[in-house]
Amino acid sequence: MKMLIFGGSGRTGQVMKRAAAAAGWEVCAPAHAECDLLRAEEVSRCVLESGAAAVVNCAAISGLEACLDDALSAHLVNAVAPAAMALACRHTGARFVHLSTDYVLEGHRPGLKDESTHCKPANVYGSSKREGELQVAEALRESLVLRVSWVCGNPDKPAFTESILSKALAGAPLDAIADKYSMPTDAEDIARAVLELLPLSVSGVLHLCSGGEPLSWHDCAVIVLQHAAALGALPCVPDVQRKLLSQATFFREVRPRHTAMNNARLTSLGVLMPSATQALQRITERYLRAAK
Ligand SMILES: NC(=O)c1ccc[n+]([C@@H]2O[C@H](COP(=O)([O-])OP(=O)(O)OC[C@H]3O[C@@H](n4cnc5c(N)ncnc54)[C@H](OP(=O)(O)O)[C@@H]3O)[C@@H](O)[C@H]2O)c1
């Protein structure tokens, strides 16, 4: 059976492509140049002509500053294009899975958020993604909208976790923001969960993330560095200077502070996720293997 994957060159999309192919899917993943998500009619044509039984959208303009600088493109790629995919899937009968984000949540209150939590995005990226969620649901009620967070674990597309490991291995000074919280999630767990969810008759919004308590970037850094040291890749656990979000002057867009999600609905469906600590430890091992 054929799976059409949008965003196959991205951090999550690369891993999704590999996992789907390994699970026996015939994967088709048009490159940006072959199907520009700024053009909804190209997106519709691509789905309608694909013959795909499943369409998975891993594409987005995911940079917060990129969305701030070009809100129209963010709206077209993050909201209009997914709606066109969903509508086309309504015609073809394909299963549609769309990735969204914890940044649709307001993020003022500490603690874990479930799917019933009120959405109030704090930035252009979050607003475009929330619009995408709503438009997808309206175009195809049977769509599955999976909110993911702090995607890491693809050594070819380093995230915060891989960057801190790389700096630590190079002996560089380390710092990390200690007052912003979410749930780091391994791209490999996301891809596995998508494959497990495809045959289930579940629709609507699901929080797809690791389990456990909210972690800051500083917490994540300490976990990966402790594990790297325990594995002998570092002589000791290096010190990581704690920074405040307000000190990150290179961020021009607002970041929500407390968006860690609760994955109880996902796990109640039998899709099990590791704890964030277990995920970070696995990611560390994968990064160290790839760095050899
Ligand atoms: N990364 C995270 O921590 C994170 C956190 C929460 C939610 N998410 C969500 O998870 C999903 C995957 O994120 P990611 O980090 O894996 O994404 P990513 O690495 O930024 O990749 C984005 C993908 O979208 C494609 N794309 C962007 N604009 C396009 C356009 N106009 N036409 C065609 N393709 C286009 C990119 O292709 P090119 O590179 O070729 O342009 C790339 O393949 C997204 O829905 C994102 O919102 C991510």
Side-chain angles (χ1 to χ4, degrees):
M1 280 197 301
K2 197 181 228 184
M3 179 186 292
L4 176 62
I5 299 177
F6 288 100
S9 64
R11 182 177 293 152
T12 316
Q14 286 184 343
V15 177
M16 187 70 237
K17 275 196 308 192
R18 281 197 293 272
W25 287 86
E26 180 194 342
V27 174
C28 163
H32 189 147
E34 294 168 312
C35 179
D36 188 348
L37 270 60
L38 289 170
R39 304 166 72 90
E41 71 282 5
E42 276 189 29
V43 175
S44 307
R45 185 180 41 76
C46 192
V47 175
L48 294 172
E49 292 176 355
S50 67
V55 176
V56 179
N57 182 26
C58 302
I61 298 183
S62 59
L64 269 62
E65 278 68 30
C67 291
L68 177 67
D69 292 341
D70 188 352
L72 175 59
S73 294
H75 174 70
L76 292 172
V77 172
N78 294 347
V80 177
M85 292 172 202
L87 204 56
C89 287
R90 197 160 105 190
H91 285 277
T92 64
R95 180 89 159 112
F96 182 49
V97 177
H98 170 64
L99 296 190
S100 190
T101 171
D102 56 328
Y103 281 15
V104 299
L105 303 167
E106 184 174 35
H108 283 173
R109 274 181 309 105
L112 295 171
K113 316 289 183 301
D114 67 17
E115 290 81 354
S116 67
T117 304
H118 179 64
C119 291
K120 193 174 177 202
N123 50 42
V124 174
Y125 166 68
S127 299
S128 67
K129 294 293 290 184
R130 179 60 182 152
E131 185 61 32
E133 290 185 350
L134 295 170
Q135 289 203 25
V136 161
E138 195 170 317
L140 179 64
R141 212 167 9 125
E142 293 80 10
S143 303
L144 194 48
V145 172
L146 303 175
R147 289 185 187 147
V148 302
S149 59
W150 283 1
V151 180
C152 35
N154 178 352
D156 295 331
K157 294 272 178 180
F160 165 77
T161 37
E162 285 84 14
S163 304
I164 202 96
L165 277 165
S166 152
K167 282 187 195 163
L169 291 171
L174 306 175
D175 59 53
I177 292 169
D179 62 343
K180 170 175 161 47
Y181 302 84
S182 187
M183 199 59 88
T185 305
D186 185 352
E188 294 208 350
D189 286 320
I190 295 172
R192 175 185 49 81
V194 169
L195 294 172
E196 288 179 24
L197 287 163
L198 277 173
L200 306 185
S201 61
V202 55
S203 60
V205 173
L206 268 182
H207 287 179
L208 197 183
C209 58
S210 311
E213 290 304 308
L215 296 178
S216 69
W217 274 315
H218 188 275
D219 297 327
C220 296
V222 171
I223 291 167
V224 299
L225 296 173
Q226 278 177 344
H227 197 55
L231 294 169
L234 293 169
C236 61
V237 183
D239 191 41
V240 185
Q241 193 195 335
R242 303 172 78 89
K243 275 181 69 175
L244 299 176
L245 187 55
S246 58
Q247 293 172 300
T249 46
F250 44 87
F251 288 157
R252 288 182 288 114
E253 179 60 296
V254 182
R255 259 87 182 151
R257 230 175 248 283
H258 298 284
T259 55
M261 301 182 291
N262 170 327
N263 67 13
R265 184 174 177 225
L266 179 77
T267 53
S268 75
L269 295 166
V271 179
L272 304 182
M273 296 294 282
S275 71
T277 300
Q278 288 167 332
L280 289 169
Q281 291 178 341
R282 256 194 355 223
I283 286 163
T284 305
E285 290 161 23
R286 191 178 309 139
Y287 180 82
L288 294 174
R289 269 198 309 274
K292 270 187 187 157

